[in-house]
Amino acid sequence: MAAPDNDDVEPLEIEGVRISGKAGDVQTVPGTGPRWVAGLGGGEPKQYRKTGAALVRAVHASLAEDVENGGKAFRAVQLELPEEASGEHVTELVLGLLLGGYRFKVTAEDPKPVVRTIRLVTADEAVPELVERAAALAAATALTRDLANTPSNVKTPAWLADTAARVAGSRVEVTVRDEKWLAAEGFGGVLAVGGGSARPPRLVEMTYQPAGATRHLLLVGKGITFDTGGLSIKPADGMHLMRTDMAGGAAVIAATRAIAALGLPVRVTALVPCAENHVSGSSYRPGDIVRHYGGKTTEVGNTDAEGRMVLADALAYGIRKFSPDYVVDAATLTGAMKVSLGLRTGGLFASDDALAAAVSEAGARVGEAWWRMPLVEDYAENVRGEFGDVRQTPGGPGGITAALFLREFTAGLPWAHLDIAGPARSEKNYDEVVPGATGFAARTLVELAASLS
């Protein structure tokens, strides 16, 4: 792998092949068997991730070409690391290698061949441990992508809940609550949103409680398995993307599994309210007043603002029942965040500066960018209801007022709200991301738990 000091250096030439040295520039070098040289730009850790992703894509393309031409599929690649590669560089490289070649396709065709083994050549004895940790982070991202990419004719609320229970691992206890339990306990928000669908809602409750843990983190993820907008129906253009509207819930499920697999010494409770927001004679309506778990009421203004309705129930329930030290929710919540921050940066709202910093720093360490947004108190009064306790869709900037609405259900605890509406999906390759669900937020949640422990 070539690593010039910056991207403006003179190109290198290796055995007649011109290499720019830019991160992600991968070239095939002639010789016996396939060989590649990959540029690393200035050698920053994030450039290793970009290069790892580009390299694995190049390897898969070469492998597919060999098979198409009648050759034998090679399944292992050996990769020599630069001497200057540190622990952070290795972590980022492995993330790129494991995630850059991710594919999701429902097809009758045989799967395309992929490389099964990548051997890292290095004298650093710490590499195996770094690879194991990076592999757990990559697995969390990949599982999040798998869940979010699954089409909604398969992904009912019951399917998502049952899948969470199946993949959680032996260290995580999972309880799935059905619509009868939700009704008995007063989960009015989840029942209202899910009431228009023939597929009833569920609540996923995951518990990881290692011996000796002194801190307790509550994770809450939006699990809307498909979102038509309800009676406030969405335009047809883009509605097909709403299969990924449970990306926040998927990130919470995958992160909890990874936290347990890594044996992190922090207690985690994860809640994912699962519902399908559909249109029928039993759909909830604008103008309804919904009573949430714990008794607080919401004036419904727009049935397409369904995510905050289910999160409100789960937040109130999780805080009252489990008394956590920290609360973090993740959701594809508002289109406003896509306008504000684009498609590669998550919106971070927080009631506590230390928790906000911990989330942002955790994201930076695992290659996920966050930008802290303000909880503007001048808009807080807009959330107050006239006919109920709070308004679902108050006037003002959409991302901020949605966060202020959720804050009403957090009981004053240190709380962070992650709005991932922008970076949860992608239409093209960049860095380790591929088209479709990106898996954004899962690695941040794992790293956050590690920092809290």
Side-chain angles (χ1 to χ4, degrees), residues 149-174:
N149 281 328
T150 299
S152 295
N153 57 321
V154 173
K155 185 172 54 190
T156 66
W159 181 92
L160 181 57
D162 292 344
T163 300
R166 189 172 67 253
V167 304
S170 60
R171 295 181 178 180
V172 179
E173 180 181 344
V174 182

Side-chain angles (χ1 to χ4, degrees), residues 213-276:
T214 59
R215 293 185 175 184
H216 185 187
L217 172 63
L218 173 65
L219 300 177
V220 178
K222 173 184 171 183
I224 301 299
T225 56
F226 193 78
D227 183 20
T228 67
L231 294 180
S232 307
I233 197 162
K234 294 177 178 291
D237 291 345
M239 192 190 288
H240 63 286
L241 297 173
M242 292 301 100
R243 67 182 181 276
T244 66
D245 207 25
M246 36 58 69
V252 165
I253 292 167
T256 303
R257 185 182 77 156
I259 290 165
L262 289 169
L264 299 180
V266 59
R267 180 183 173 190
V268 176
T269 300
L271 300 174
V272 180
C274 308
E276 185 175 72

Side-chain angles (χ1 to χ4, degrees), residues 88 140 150 163 190 193 222 231 296 320 326 328 348 392 421:
E88 193 174 359
T150 299
T163 300
V190 177
V193 172
K222 173 184 171 183
L231 294 180
K296 187 169 290 188
R320 175 176 289 192
Y326 309 95
V328 179
L348 165 61
Q392 177 208 35

Side-chain angles (χ1 to χ4, degrees), residues 14-108:
I14 300 176
E15 297 186 29
V17 177
R18 185 181 176 87
I19 307 295
S20 73
K22 292 182 178 180
D25 179 22
V26 179
Q27 299 292 337
T28 304
V29 178
T32 303
R35 292 190 298 162
W36 301 269
V37 175
L40 290 169
E44 298 175 10
K46 65 180 181 181
Q47 293 175 315
Y48 272 68
R49 175 163 40 90
K50 180 176 183 177
T51 295
L55 180 58
V56 79
R57 289 170 190 147
V59 170
H60 284 168
S62 179
L63 176 56
E65 184 179 357
D66 280 2
V67 172
E68 288 174 5
N69 292 330
K72 184 178 179 180
F74 59 90
R75 294 299 193 182
V77 173
Q78 185 167 287
L79 179 60
E80 184 175 354
L81 297 180
E83 292 182 1
E84 62 270 21
S86 67
E88 193 174 359
H89 293 92
V90 172
T91 297
E92 294 280 14
L93 175 66
V94 172
L95 286 173
L97 291 170
L98 292 176
L99 293 171
Y102 173 91
R103 298 168 180 167
F104 185 95
K105 186 175 183 179
V106 181
T107 177

